[in-house]
Amino acid sequence: MAFKKWVVRSAEKERACALSEKFNIDPFVAFLMVSRGITDDIEALNFLSTDFLMSSPFDFADMEAAVETVYESVENGEKICIYGDYDCDGVTATTLLVDFLKSKGADVCFYIPSREGEGYGMHIQAVEKIASWGVKLIITVDNGINAFEQARRVYELGMKLVVTDHHQLTDDKLPRAEAVVNPHRKDNSLEFSDFCGVGVAFKLAVAMDEDNADEIVDKYIDLVAVGTVADVMPLVDENRAIVRLGIKKFNSSPRAVFKPFVVANGEKGFNCTDIAFRICPRINAMGRMGDAKRAVELLLSENEQESTGAFNELNEENAHRQSVEQSIIEDVEKKLAKDKRLASRPVIVVAEKGYHHGVIGIVSAHITEKYGKPSFVIGIDENGIARGSARSIEGFNIFEAISACSDDLVQFGGHPLAAGITLKEDMIDKFRQDINEFALENYPVMPQSELIIDMKLSPAYLNVELADSLCVLEPYGAGNPNVVFGIYKMTLLGVTPIGEGKHIRLELQKKNTKIRAVKFSQTVEDFPYSSGDVLDLAVRIGKNYYNGKTYLSVHIVDVRLSSSDEEKYFSEKSIYELYLSTGKADKSLYPEREDCSVVYKYLKQNGGYNYTASDLYFRLQSSITYGKLMFALKAFNQAGLINIQKKITLNQPKQKVDLESTDILKTLKGRIESE
């Protein structure tokens, strides 16, 4: 994965001490709270409270009109259609309102557009189809705020519309509807507005039956929690309370479809991470790979006997999604290996026919995480229409970038960190060129991926008691991430493969303290460190349960040599990548004879090198710049001294080699002299 810049949070120690004493909490926890911006007594009290305090649903503008409209349709026996979305938020929102309205005696159905055939949001053809069912009222969930043409068509067909959505408004305009319930309306009275789609649908249900609000909470809070986590909403304020109570329901009285997941967790219990990585992907998989309507039906089922079948179906769909996703990742990696320029540019753009649109967003996220750059993964259909998903890094506004290239696109939409595009196949190369020109002009130095370290910690403090004290910070998620500790200058004693070789366990020591830590999805063969190396580690801690006993678990988030100079690395790497993108040369790129000698001597002493060029750089960082190392390796390869594949192997030269005569160094020298 891409080398990340470690940023250590800071906190006012005196304020942390005051909170620790006032609320009788662990000093470490108090420090972490202050470092996350929870500084005054009221904020701390609200954060630590386990009570579920829900704001009034009538703080939403138009909520009264929405309630009156829906109740009127129910009382008149009119057919109601919930118009949802195929992602996890949309599926849980659809499930909630369908079930709630049925409990009120409503004649209710639902419609979810297909990801492949229709795409997100309301569609004219879908509205016309719903009208043919005899529907008189459409209620949108997790969509509809920008459906202006579709709303007009609803009324042309003699139906009414209630919009519930959480997406941003366009220029404060609202579609025609009996009511538009959206937390981003300026005329709301909300103190907290970061609700997801199912959160807004939940508020409508509570507003319709305030006298039985506790029962509604008990019945649906797990669905609201799942949608909130799935849509990566900030787990602060009311969202934090929703997810905390939802987890409690998972562990006490899970609905039929969720019960096998909870049972499988055993005494460990179910937490927010389990929702994020076990529940959400499986619900999403049905919308990505097949029919999201089936996901709604599974969530609506209360039959215990069907739960096992539903569990298996969700697992099978998710396994299929993972298989397709992995196939595309492998193909993208082959393209990047074959054409080095694709990965060397500021923005990676990869396209191919047949890439499944349901998973290209996940693939893009993988590429961005690995290379530390914004990326687009584009699938082309048989008609030459290309649809792409993009993911970005903090500091690079991907929506702003594609907006600057709008002439290349048929349509686009998104946010600073994620976006979607549609364009014609013959415009892909131009789009790749244009978006990289935008990046070079507006971001001459690409923002670096960051890893936030909550605090530096001595390994002596890593114990079960600390893990227990951190529980008050849960649930973790967006806006309240899992705690990451920085453990510095640990001597590596040994590396052991675990999990059939898919993961590794490290044994480390600092002074008299020894710890064991696990790094997932890392093999011994690809781990670039060995016994005796002094390492810095970013870790998360938790608890494992075995034979009735509790043990500390330490999970490695990131690891590097303690001698690494990240500022030097990022500065030198940006100069090298600028040359690859623009041809702009710098003297610091050219490897002189002594530079080449340093690199070749290291390779010869070690019989080659089995890891990445960046890993090699950190071994030699004190002796050479990043650019010089890269060009030295290219010159060695061109001269036949080495072979560079997944690892670097040495060749036996038959005659003396003149590196300065290699094409790669002659070209570089010529460009330096012409600058």
Side-chain angles (χ1 to χ4, degrees):
M1 293 297 168
F3 189 82
K4 294 183 177 181
K5 182 178 181 179
W6 289 14
V7 179
V8 182
R9 294 183 193 265
S10 60
E12 186 183 337
K13 292 183 179 179
E14 290 183 2
R15 179 79 281 241
C17 289
L19 288 184
S20 175
E21 292 178 7
K22 184 157 191 173
F23 295 100
N24 192 29
I25 54 177
D26 187 287
F28 285 124
V29 172
F31 183 91
L32 293 169
M33 288 172 59
V34 172
S35 74
R36 294 176 182 217
I38 304 166
T39 56
D40 66 44
D41 291 353
I42 299 299
E43 289 174 330
L45 184 62
N46 290 337
F47 185 85
L48 296 169
S49 173
T50 57
D51 295 333
F52 181 66
L53 300 175
M54 181 171 56
S55 61
S56 170
F58 292 100
D59 289 342
F60 283 84
D62 273 7
M63 185 62 84
E64 288 187 15
V67 171
E68 291 174 6
T69 301
V70 178
Y71 259 131
E72 184 179 351
S73 287
V74 174
E75 291 168 357
N76 292 338
E78 295 175 347
K79 194 175 187 68
I80 301 172
C81 180
I82 309 302
Y83 194 114
D85 183 37
Y86 43 71
D87 72 358
C88 192
D89 186 20
V91 165
T92 52
T94 303
T95 302
L96 189 155
L97 271 193
V98 167
D99 190 73
F100 173 76
L101 291 176
K102 281 185 176 179
S103 74
K104 297 301 176 186
D107 179 7
V108 62
C109 62
F110 67 92
Y111 184 92
I112 296 181
S114 69
R115 180 187 285 266
E116 284 287 290
E118 297 171 278
Y120 170 78
M122 293 188 78
H123 304 276
I124 297 291
Q125 297 87 342
V127 169
E128 292 170 347
K129 184 176 183 179
I130 291 169
S132 72
W133 297 346
V135 168
K136 295 300 180 184
L137 172 65
I138 296 177
I139 306 174
T140 72
V141 291
D142 195 29
N143 73 97
I145 194 63
N146 295 313
F148 302 105
E149 294 295 329
Q150 297 86 338
R152 278 194 286 271
R153 187 60 177 149
V154 167
Y155 283 90
E156 288 173 357
L157 293 168
M159 297 183 289
K160 293 182 292 186
L161 178 66
V162 168
V163 172
T164 75
D165 195 1
H166 74 116
H167 293 96
Q168 294 288 338
L169 286 67
T170 301
D171 298 326
D172 295 326
K173 294 180 181 177
L174 301 177
R176 181 183 176 186
E178 305 303 305
V180 177
V181 182
N182 185 298
H184 300 296
R185 287 183 58 168
K186 291 181 179 178
D187 51 348
N188 289 326
S189 300
L190 297 168
E191 292 186 6
F192 177 77
S193 60
D194 283 326
F195 296 103
C196 63
V198 67
V200 180
F202 170 67
K203 290 290 188 175
L204 174 59
V206 172
M208 290 185 65
D209 196 0
E210 273 200 300
D211 291 340
N212 295 302
D214 289 344
E215 293 178 16
I216 295 171
V217 169
D218 183 63
K219 188 171 185 180
Y220 300 116
I221 198 67
D222 57 336
L223 294 179
V224 189
V226 169
T228 300
V229 172
D231 236 35
V232 200
M233 305 308 293
L235 295 194
V236 297
D237 207 284
E238 198 163 332
N239 281 344
R240 176 177 164 79
I242 285 169
V243 173
R244 183 169 50 219
L245 192 59
I247 291 170
K248 185 177 180 180
K249 179 173 172 61
F250 264 95
N251 286 303
S252 60
S253 56
R255 64 183 61 231
V257 71
F258 295 149
K259 194 169 185 179
F261 292 98
V262 178
V263 170
N265 261 30
E267 61 180 318
K268 174 173 124 24
F270 217 72
N271 59 32
C272 193
T273 300
D274 296 314
I275 292 176
F277 291 98
R278 301 186 63 196
I279 299 295
C280 298
R282 286 165 170 78
I283 295 175
N284 270 327
M286 290 200 141
R288 292 181 184 279
M289 310 305 300
D291 189 354
K293 300 182 187 70
R294 182 64 181 136
V296 175
E297 292 166 357
L298 292 176
L299 291 177
L300 286 170
S301 174
E302 296 180 359
N303 189 321
E304 288 285 345
Q305 293 180 347
E306 292 179 2
S307 64
T308 300
F311 175 79
N312 291 335
E313 189 171 346
L314 286 170
N315 280 337
E316 288 170 7
E317 202 68 51
N318 192 50
H320 176 48
R321 187 268 304 171
Q322 290 173 325
S323 175
V324 173
E325 174 190 320
Q326 187 58 38
S327 176
I328 297 176
I329 287 174
E330 290 173 1
D331 191 69
V332 170
E333 292 285 11
K334 286 179 183 177
K335 291 182 186 301
L336 297 178
K338 185 176 181 180
D339 184 353
K340 301 294 186 183
R341 288 198 65 206
L342 287 175
S344 66
R345 292 176 175 179
V347 181
I348 298 173
V349 181
V350 180
E352 186 54 78
K353 291 183 178 179
Y355 281 177
H356 197 295
H357 297 147
V359 300
I360 54 176
I362 304 174
V363 176
S364 177
H366 171 87
I367 297 302
T368 292
E369 174 68 17
K370 180 173 181 177
Y371 292 90
K373 296 180 177 184
S375 71
F376 287 79
V377 178
I378 301 172
I380 308 165
D381 68 19
E382 63 277 6
N383 299 314
I385 300 300
R387 294 184 179 89
S389 282
R391 297 294 184 272
S392 192
I393 56 176
E394 287 288 348
F396 185 94
N397 189 323
I398 200 73
F399 183 74
E400 177 187 45
I402 60 175
S403 298
C405 305
S406 59
D407 290 345
D408 300 337
L409 307 173
V410 175
Q411 63 183 43
F412 65 92
H415 308 285
L417 292 176
I421 60 172
T422 301
L423 69 166
K424 295 179 180 178
E425 181 180 2
D426 59 7
M427 293 296 291
I428 293 173
D429 288 341
K430 185 175 185 303
F431 171 72
R432 181 186 290 114
Q433 182 67 27
D434 289 346
I435 200 159
N436 274 289
E437 286 180 1
F438 172 88
L440 287 167
E441 183 178 344
N442 293 276
Y443 299 86
V445 177
M446 184 64 71
Q448 307 302 332
S449 296
E450 294 183 347
L451 174 63
I452 303 300
I453 307 292
D454 284 279
M455 67 161 41
K456 296 180 179 181
L457 193 67
S458 165
Y461 289 103
L462 295 178
N463 51 47
V464 172
E465 289 72 24
L466 177 59
D468 278 330
S469 68
L470 296 179
C471 289
V472 299
L473 299 174
E474 297 180 7
Y476 297 123
N480 185 45
N482 203 327
V483 177
V484 176
F485 293 110
I487 310 295
Y488 293 79
K489 296 186 178 179
M490 301 292 297
T491 300
L492 181 61
L493 302 179
V495 183
T496 306
I498 58 174
E500 299 179 343
K502 296 178 182 178
H503 320 293
I504 57 173
R505 180 189 295 116
L506 275 57
E507 187 170 357
L508 306 114
Q509 183 172 2
K510 184 175 183 180
K511 296 182 180 179
N512 296 323
T513 301
K514 288 185 179 181
I515 64 169
R516 287 184 173 181
V518 173
K519 194 168 195 315
F520 292 112
S521 302
Q522 174 79 72
T523 64
V524 171
E525 294 74 21
D526 292 333
F527 189 62
Y529 309 109
S530 56
S531 297
D533 282 337
V534 180
L535 306 175
D536 294 341
L537 299 96
V539 303
R540 296 189 181 108
I541 66 171
K543 295 182 291 183
N544 281 336
Y545 303 90
Y546 183 71
N547 283 342
K549 292 185 178 180
T550 304
Y551 300 90
L552 179 74
S553 63
V554 181
H555 296 165
I556 299 171
V557 179
D558 200 5
V559 58
R560 62 186 52 179
L561 290 170
S562 289
S563 58
S564 299
D565 184 336
E566 63 179 27
E567 293 298 334
K568 182 176 184 291
Y569 167 77
F570 287 126
S571 174
E572 294 172 357
K573 187 168 183 279
S574 67
I575 294 171
Y576 170 73
E577 292 190 333
L578 187 63
Y579 173 82
L580 296 181
S581 297
T582 66
K584 182 177 175 59
D586 185 281
K587 289 182 179 179
S588 67
L589 296 173
Y590 193 87
E592 302 292 348
R593 182 184 297 272
E594 56 269 28
D595 299 311
C596 293
S597 177
V598 166
V599 178
Y600 192 72
K601 183 178 180 181
Y602 183 89
L603 294 176
K604 199 167 182 180
Q605 288 175 341
N606 291 274
Y609 195 70
N610 295 335
Y611 312 107
T612 70
S614 289
D615 291 319
L616 177 59
Y617 166 75
F618 286 110
R619 293 289 180 183
L620 303 172
Q621 190 180 39
S622 62
S623 305
I624 197 168
T625 69
Y626 184 88
K628 287 182 178 181
L629 172 63
M630 295 300 117
F631 278 107
L633 292 174
K634 290 180 179 182
F636 292 164
N637 190 62
Q638 204 167 78
L641 292 174
I642 64 173
N643 282 324
I644 303 177
Q645 299 295 330
K646 286 188 176 180
K647 56 185 180 180
I648 300 171
T649 56
L650 294 171
N651 296 328
Q652 291 296 328
K654 295 180 180 179
Q655 57 189 24
K656 190 174 181 180
V657 172
D658 180 12
L659 291 175
E660 292 184 355
S661 67
T662 58
D663 290 341
I664 190 75
L665 292 190
K666 285 195 295 184
T667 300
L668 176 61
K669 192 169 188 177
R671 288 184 177 172
I672 290 173
E673 291 174 350
S674 66
E675 287 290 332

